[in-house]
């Protein structure tokens, strides 16, 4: 399997904290080691650089502790960027900051008509746009995705509040296949996933409970939470190289490697 060199956007967790609870992982009374969070994030960034990827950074803003989760900043495909609209008011001010970054970086901007939380719920997999709904991204936004990006959209219904974003329940491994936790999806969505990806890697509950599916693949290397040892073994059996990273502090906000990483997909001309 060939690794594809990728371009990512990340946001240093300078102001990271767990001050509010908008998903079941977040407990504002539990201690968070902010300095450790930064070191863990720096390690993740260095893993990408060592793999030959490019990492761009957006400046973190005070008062936005979840801004580190850059995957929620937008959806960027073929040089077009769809800005986000968060469900929760606590994260609302992140949206214009990310929008301004995309615009300055030269992407063709599109504004959301409905709630959508970017690559947290919208994943490009082999020419299909897999779009989650049920907790954050509104089903109504899925039609807009297809109009903007021109890829067929597959709606996937999330049913377990612990796996509130699609990227906590499913990982795109390469052009052909994905890994996912079946029980995180409704019966109809499970059936659709079986038809689309008969060779998928099926994760276990234990893998998903450490956010093991919140992984980043370049087609060959899969960067995933170090605690997801079953999933890592299953991926190695399928020929992927796995790289475990410990993001224990960010996990307290319900985030893992993928949440911290927004893929920037350029247009054909490279701009
Ligand atoms: N605390 C953040 C929230 O609940 C975590 C976001 C994680 N991001 C992701 N792409 N799953 O919104």
């Amino acid at each position: 399997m060939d690794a594809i060199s990728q371009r990512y956007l990340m946001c240093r967790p300078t102001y990271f904290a767990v001050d509010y609870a908008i998903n079941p992982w977040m407990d504002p009374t539990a201690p968070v080691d902010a300095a450790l969070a930064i070191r863990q994030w720096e390690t993740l960034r260095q893993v990408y650089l060592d793999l030959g990827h490019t990492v761009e950074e957006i400046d973190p803003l005070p008062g936005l502790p979840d801004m580190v989760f850059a995957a929620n900043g937008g959806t960027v495909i073929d040089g077009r960027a769809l800005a986000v609209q968060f469900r929760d008011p606590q994260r609302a001010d992140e949206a214009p900051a990310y929008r301004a970054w995309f615009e300055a970086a030269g992407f063709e901007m599109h504004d959301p008509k409905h709630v959508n939380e970017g690559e947290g719920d919208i994943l490009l997999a082999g020419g299909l746009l897999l779009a989650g709904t049920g907790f954050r991204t509104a089903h109504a936004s899925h039609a807009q995705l297809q109009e903007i990006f021109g890829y067929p959209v597959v709606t996937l219904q999330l049913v377990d509040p612990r796996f509130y974003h699609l990227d906590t329940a499913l990982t795109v491994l390469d052009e052909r296949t994905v890994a996912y936790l079946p029980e995180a999806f409704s019966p109809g969505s499970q059936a659709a996933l079986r038809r689309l990806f008969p060779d998928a890697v099926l994760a276990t509950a234990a893998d998903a409970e450490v956010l093991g599916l919140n992984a980043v693949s370049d087609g060959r290397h899969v960067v995933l939470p170090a605690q997801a040892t079953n999933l890592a073994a299953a991926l190695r059996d399928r020929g992927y190289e796995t790289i475990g990273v410990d993001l224990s502090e960010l996990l307290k906000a319900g985030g893992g490697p993928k949440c911290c990483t927004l893929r920037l997909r350029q247009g054909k001309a490279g701009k």
Side-chain angles (χ1 to χ4, degrees), residues 22-23 26 66 69 72 91 120 136 164-165 167-168 253-254 259:
I22 56 173
N23 69 54
M26 302 176 86
D66 275 335
F69 300 118
N72 301 130
R91 298 196 67 184
R136 301 291 182 90
Y164 56 93
H165 275 140
D167 72 357
T168 64
C259 300

Side-chain angles (χ1 to χ4, degrees), residues 9 14 39 53 63 113 128 247 256:
L9 178 63
T14 309
R39 289 199 300 279
H53 302 313
K113 293 195 183 125
L128 295 175
L247 294 181

Side-chain angles (χ1 to χ4, degrees), residues 16 65-73 91 94 98 250 253-256 259-260:
F16 177 68
D66 275 335
M67 194 170 169
V68 60
F69 300 118
N72 301 130
R91 298 196 67 184
E94 295 178 41
Y98 278 99
L250 298 168
C259 300
C260 296

Side-chain angles (χ1 to χ4, degrees), residues 7-192:
R7 184 177 173 215
Y8 298 131
L9 178 63
M10 297 181 74
C11 181
R12 182 175 293 271
T14 309
Y15 305 105
F16 177 68
V18 179
D19 291 340
Y20 50 79
I22 56 173
N23 69 54
W25 303 79
M26 302 176 86
D27 174 1
T29 66
V32 171
D33 185 336
L36 179 57
I38 292 176
R39 289 199 300 279
Q40 292 175 333
W41 178 90
E42 283 173 344
T43 302
L44 175 65
R45 179 176 171 278
Q46 191 60 47
V47 164
Y48 294 143
L49 296 176
D50 291 347
L51 288 172
H53 302 313
T54 303
V55 177
E56 312 263 3
E57 286 185 50
I58 180 173
D59 289 334
L61 294 173
L64 296 175
D66 275 335
M67 194 170 169
V68 60
F69 300 118
N72 301 130
T75 304
V76 185
I77 301 171
D78 298 340
R80 294 178 195 153
L82 173 62
V84 296
Q85 182 178 324
F86 285 94
R87 182 195 67 175
D88 298 290
Q90 293 93 333
R91 298 196 67 184
D93 290 346
E94 295 178 41
Y98 278 99
R99 190 193 188 289
W101 192 94
F102 300 133
E103 194 150 54
F107 291 101
E108 177 189 306
M109 278 314 303
H110 295 266
D111 286 308
K113 293 195 183 125
H114 307 277
V115 169
N116 92 83
E117 299 199 355
E119 261 199 332
D121 274 322
I122 301 157
L123 297 171
L124 185 64
L128 295 175
L129 267 179
L130 306 182
T133 189
F135 297 102
R136 301 291 182 90
T137 294
H139 186 207
S141 75
H142 294 184
Q144 192 188 9
L145 294 176
Q146 187 160 293
E147 289 312 310
I148 293 171
F149 296 113
Y151 292 90
V153 171
V154 177
T155 290
L156 296 172
Q157 188 76 41
L158 295 162
V159 296
D160 183 331
R162 293 172 303 166
F163 310 118
Y164 56 93
H165 275 140
L166 181 62
D167 72 357
T168 64
L170 182 145
T171 307
V172 178
L173 294 171
D174 55 35
E175 288 287 298
R176 292 177 313 278
T177 202
V178 301
Y180 65 97
L181 177 72
E183 57 265 39
F185 297 91
S186 66
S189 296
Q190 290 184 34

